C-alpha cells in the first residue's frame, strides 16, 4: 500500500488515502450526488483490505443516492451487478410508503405502527438482524436464523408465537414490496410459526351482572351523597358495560361512535325488541353495520337522558375531544371496578381487561343464544368462523356445550 498521504486507486472514481495525523484509511468518491461531486469518509480502520471493502460499500451507497429520484431506491436492473440493495434502505422506503398512505385511516395507522415495531424494535427487530445486508440475500434459511435471533435477544429469552408471526408478516410485506419494485426477482417462502391458542378471559353471566350492577350501585350512592360528577362517571360505566356486551364491539371501536352513528330500530315484529344499528367507521376489519342486542338500546336511551341529544356528541366520554384520552379514562374506571368486585383475574389466573367485554359478548351469545348462525354472528362482530373455532368454540366446557346443544328455545336475557 502507499505511503501516508498517497492515494490508492481502487476503481474509476474511488480511491483510498490517509490524512496527516490519522492512522486510518479514508475513502474518496468522485461522483455527482445532488450538488456535490466529491465525497470522503473515514473507514475507521488501519487494515488495508478491510478499508478497501468498506470503501466499495461507500461507493455503492453514493451510486444508489445518485440514482434516487424523489426518494425512490432504483431498480436492481438499473444498477451494476456488484451493488447490493441494503435491507435497511428498502425497509425505510417501505415505511415511507405506509406513512404516505396512512393519512387519518386508523387501520392503516395500526399497520404502520406494527411495521415500525417489527423493524425498529432495538434488541431483536428486523433491522437489528438484517441491517445493511443485501435484500436479495434473504432466504428461507436466513429467516429461520432471524427467528432464532429474535428469541435469543428478547428480554425474557422467549417469545409468544403470535409475536414472531407478527414480525414475519411485516418481513413478508417488505419482500413483496421489494419484488414489486423489481429489487428482487423472487420472494422466499416464509417459515410457519405454529400458534398456541390460549383461552381468552371473559365474564360469565353472573360476573357480568355483578360488574354493571356494582357500577350502577356506586353511581346511585354517589348521587345520594350529592357527588353528581362521581355519580355520572359510575352510571356511564354501568351503561358502557351493558352496551359493549350487547353490541360485540372491540375496545378500539367504541370511542369514535357519535350519536349520528346510532340508529334505534323499533320493534318491527312482535317477536323483536327495539335494538340499535351502529355504523362502525374505523373497525379493525373495516367499516361495517352492527346490529345490537335489545339491552344496548336501553343503555343508549339512558345515556341520552343524561347527556342530551346531539348528533355530533360522542356516545361515551364526550368531554374528551382527544379520543385516546377517553379510552384511557374508561380503562382506568373499568380497572377500578374490577378491583372492587374481585374480578381482575379469571380462574386460570389470566388478567381481564376491557377486551374481556368483547369476549363475554360472544361467549354469552354462544352459550345462551337459540340456534345461533355463526356466520351471521361473525359478520356482525367483524370476525371470522376461524376465530370462533380457535378462541371460543374450542374452549367451551363439556357441560356448557351440552347445555347449548340440548337447549329448547330457552331465553336468558342479559
Amino acid at each position: 500500500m502507499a505511503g501516508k498521504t498517497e492515494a490508492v486507486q481502487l476503481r474509476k472514481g474511488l480511491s483510498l488515502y490517509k490524512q496527516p495525523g490519522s492512522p486510518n484509511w479514508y475513502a474518496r468518491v468522485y461522483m455527482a450526488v445532488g450538488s456535490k461531486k466529491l465525497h470522503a469518509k473515514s473507514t475507521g480502520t488501519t487494515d488495508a483490505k478491510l478499508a478497501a471493502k468498506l470503501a466499495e460499500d461507500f461507493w455503492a451507497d453514493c451510486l444508489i443516492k445518485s440514482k434516487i429520484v424523489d426518494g425512490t431506491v432504483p431498480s436492481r436492473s438499473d444498477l451494476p451487478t456488484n451493488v447490493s440493495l441494503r435491507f435497511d434502505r428498502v425497509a425505510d422506503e417501505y415505511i415511507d410508503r405506509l406513512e404516505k398512505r396512512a393519512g387519518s385511516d386508523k387501520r392503516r395507522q395500526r399497520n404502520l405502527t406494527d411495521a415500525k415495531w417489527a423493524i425498529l424494535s432495538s434488541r431483536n427487530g428486523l433491522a437489528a438482524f438484517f441491517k445493511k445486508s443485501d435484500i436479495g440475500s434473504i432466504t428461507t434459511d436466513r429467516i429461520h436464523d432471524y427467528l432464532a435471533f429474535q428469541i435469543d435477544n428478547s428480554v425474557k429469552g422467549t417469545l409468544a408465537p403470535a409475536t414472531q408471526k407478527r414480525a414475519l408478516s411485516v418481513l413478508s410485506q417488505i419482500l413483496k414490496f421489494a419484488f414489486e419494485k423489481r429489487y428482487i426477482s423472487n420472494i422466499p417462502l416464509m417459515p410457519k410459526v405454529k400458534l398456541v391458542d390460549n383461552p381468552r378471559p371473559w365474564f360469565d353471566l353472573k360476573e357480568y351482572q355483578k360488574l354493571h350492577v356494582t357500577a350502577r350501585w356506586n353511581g346511585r350512592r354517589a348521587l345520594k351523597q350529592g357527588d353528581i360528577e362521581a355519580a355520572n362517571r359510575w352510571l356511564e360505566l354501568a351503561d358502557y358495560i351493558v352496551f359493549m356486551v350487547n353490541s360485540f364491539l372491540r375496545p378500539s371501536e367504541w370511542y369514535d361512535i357519535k350519536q349520528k352513528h346510532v340508529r334505534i330500530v323499533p320493534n318491527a315484529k312482535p317477536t323483536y325488541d327495539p335494538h340499535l344499528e351502529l355504523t362502525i367507521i374505523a373497525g379493525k376489519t373495516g367499516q361495517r353495520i352492527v346490529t345490537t342486542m335489545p339491552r344496548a338500546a336501553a343503555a343508549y336511551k339512558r345515556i341520552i337522558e343524561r347527556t342530551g341529544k346531539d348528533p355530533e356528541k360522542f356516545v361515551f366520554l364526550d368531554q374528551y375531544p382527544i379520543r385516546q384520552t377517553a379510552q384511557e379514562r374508561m380503562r382506568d374506571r373499568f380497572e377500578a371496578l374490577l378491583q372492587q368486585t374481585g374480578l381482575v383475574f379469571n380462574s386460570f389466573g389470566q388478567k381481564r381487561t376491557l377486551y374481556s367485554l368483547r369476549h363475554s359478548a360472544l361467549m354469552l351469545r354462544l352459550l345462551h343464544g337459540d340456534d345461533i348462525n355463526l356466520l351471521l354472528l361473525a359478520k356482525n362482530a367483524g370476525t371470522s368462523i376461524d376465530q370462533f373455532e380457535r378462541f371460543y368454540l374450542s374452549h367451551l366446557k363439556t357441560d356448557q356445550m351440552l347445555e347449548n346443544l340440548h337447549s329448547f328455545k330457552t331465553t336468558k336475557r342479559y
Side-chain angles (χ1 to χ4, degrees):
M1 278 282 181
K4 189 164 186 175
T5 58
E6 184 179 346
V8 178
Q9 194 77 15
L10 299 177
R11 63 161 69 224
K12 184 178 179 181
L14 175 64
S15 61
L16 282 175
Y17 71 99
K18 286 190 174 182
Q19 291 184 355
S22 174
N24 295 329
W25 287 98
Y26 282 73
R28 181 161 48 206
V29 174
Y30 290 94
M31 186 184 300
V33 180
S35 59
K36 291 180 63 178
K37 291 187 177 181
L38 179 62
H39 315 274
K41 180 181 180 181
S42 172
T43 65
T45 181
T46 58
D47 184 283
K49 289 184 178 180
L50 179 58
K53 182 179 182 304
L54 294 172
E56 290 285 354
D57 290 343
F58 180 49
W59 180 82
D61 287 345
C62 291
L63 181 59
I64 291 173
K65 288 180 181 178
S66 72
K67 290 181 176 289
I68 288 178
V69 179
D70 297 329
T72 303
V73 177
S75 165
R76 181 177 294 278
S77 61
D78 297 331
L79 297 174
T81 56
N82 63 340
V83 176
S84 66
L85 289 174
R86 287 168 31 178
F87 173 83
D88 59 344
R89 290 188 180 279
V90 178
D92 282 346
E93 190 184 359
Y94 172 69
I95 290 293
D96 288 343
R97 173 197 268 190
L98 292 185
E99 287 179 338
K100 289 176 183 176
R101 293 183 175 182
S104 59
D105 188 304
K106 293 194 174 181
R107 188 178 179 186
R108 289 184 173 182
Q109 287 176 350
R110 282 195 296 268
N111 290 339
L112 173 61
T113 300
D114 287 347
K116 286 183 175 180
W117 168 85
I119 296 168
L120 302 173
S121 53
S122 57
R123 293 173 61 92
N124 59 358
L126 295 168
F129 180 79
F130 293 108
K131 299 179 182 178
K132 299 180 181 180
S133 59
D134 182 0
I135 194 166
S137 70
I138 297 178
T139 61
T140 303
D141 284 343
R142 284 268 287 156
I143 299 171
H144 276 292
D145 292 341
Y146 166 69
L147 292 177
F149 166 87
Q150 193 185 29
I151 293 173
D152 291 342
N153 288 273
S154 63
V155 175
K156 297 181 179 179
T158 183
L159 281 179
T163 303
Q164 290 199 302
K165 198 172 182 69
R166 194 168 148 205
L168 286 183
S169 176
V170 173
L171 177 59
S172 176
Q173 291 302 313
I174 293 172
L175 293 171
K176 287 177 182 177
F177 170 79
F179 180 77
E180 291 172 8
K181 291 283 189 177
R182 296 189 297 126
Y183 302 161
I184 55 177
S185 58
N186 59 76
I187 302 172
L189 291 173
M190 289 289 118
K192 291 190 180 296
V193 176
K194 186 176 180 180
L195 291 176
V196 179
D197 296 331
N198 294 315
R200 292 178 166 182
W202 59 289
F203 302 100
D204 64 26
L205 193 55
K206 289 183 179 179
E207 291 170 331
Y208 155 68
Q209 290 171 342
K210 184 177 182 180
L211 279 174
H212 72 81
V213 168
T214 302
R216 202 168 305 282
W217 182 84
N218 288 343
R220 289 169 179 167
R221 183 179 62 176
L223 197 59
K224 287 181 179 179
Q225 295 172 347
D227 192 342
I228 305 299
E229 185 177 345
N232 286 334
R233 284 201 306 268
W234 284 114
L235 293 174
E236 183 175 40
L237 178 59
D239 287 329
Y240 170 83
I241 292 168
V242 174
F243 186 92
M244 293 296 285
V245 172
N246 284 274
S247 63
F248 319 104
L249 297 183
R250 295 178 176 86
S252 59
E253 294 174 335
W254 64 266
Y255 54 85
D256 281 333
I257 299 177
K258 294 184 176 181
Q259 291 183 23
K260 66 181 179 181
H261 299 137
V262 181
R263 185 170 80 91
I264 299 177
V265 182
N267 50 334
K269 296 182 180 180
T271 53
Y272 294 161
D273 291 326
H275 61 276
L276 302 177
E277 280 190 358
L278 309 176
T279 301
I280 306 302
I281 302 297
K284 181 180 178 181
T285 55
Q287 298 181 350
R288 73 183 191 279
I289 300 295
V290 171
T291 298
T292 74
M293 301 292 290
R295 289 291 176 88
Y300 179 68
K301 289 176 181 178
R302 289 193 295 268
I303 294 166
I304 297 301
E305 288 175 3
R306 283 196 305 272
T307 63
K309 196 169 184 179
D310 181 348
E312 292 302 322
K313 270 191 173 183
F314 290 105
V315 173
F316 294 104
L317 299 177
D318 180 68
Q319 66 269 37
Y320 297 105
I322 300 175
R323 300 312 288 165
Q324 185 177 356
T325 303
Q327 189 179 32
E328 291 170 356
R329 294 294 176 271
M330 189 65 81
R331 184 182 63 237
D332 293 342
R333 296 176 189 180
F334 186 69
E335 289 180 353
L337 181 63
L338 289 179
Q339 291 285 349
Q340 181 184 356
T341 55
L343 295 174
V344 177
F345 299 98
N346 67 4
S347 58
F348 296 100
Q350 294 173 304
K351 190 176 187 299
R352 289 168 168 138
T353 65
L354 282 177
Y355 223 115
S356 299
L357 295 175
R358 153 92 166 180
H359 304 324
S360 303
L362 296 172
M363 287 296 295
L364 291 174
R365 270 290 76 207
L366 293 173
L367 286 170
H368 304 299
D370 174 37
D371 194 22
I372 298 297
N373 185 315
L374 289 183
L375 181 60
L376 292 179
L377 180 57
K379 184 177 180 181
N380 193 52
T383 186
S384 65
I385 296 293
D386 176 65
Q387 291 290 303
F388 274 114
E389 291 177 346
R390 286 174 53 197
F391 296 109
Y392 301 101
L393 296 177
S394 62
H395 300 303
L396 289 177
K397 297 177 182 177
T398 303
D399 59 337
Q400 292 170 331
M401 288 189 287
L402 190 65
E403 179 183 353
N404 187 257
L405 290 171
H406 291 186
S407 63
F408 288 95
K409 295 184 181 299
T410 56
T411 302
K412 290 186 179 181
R413 296 174 65 90
Y414 52 85

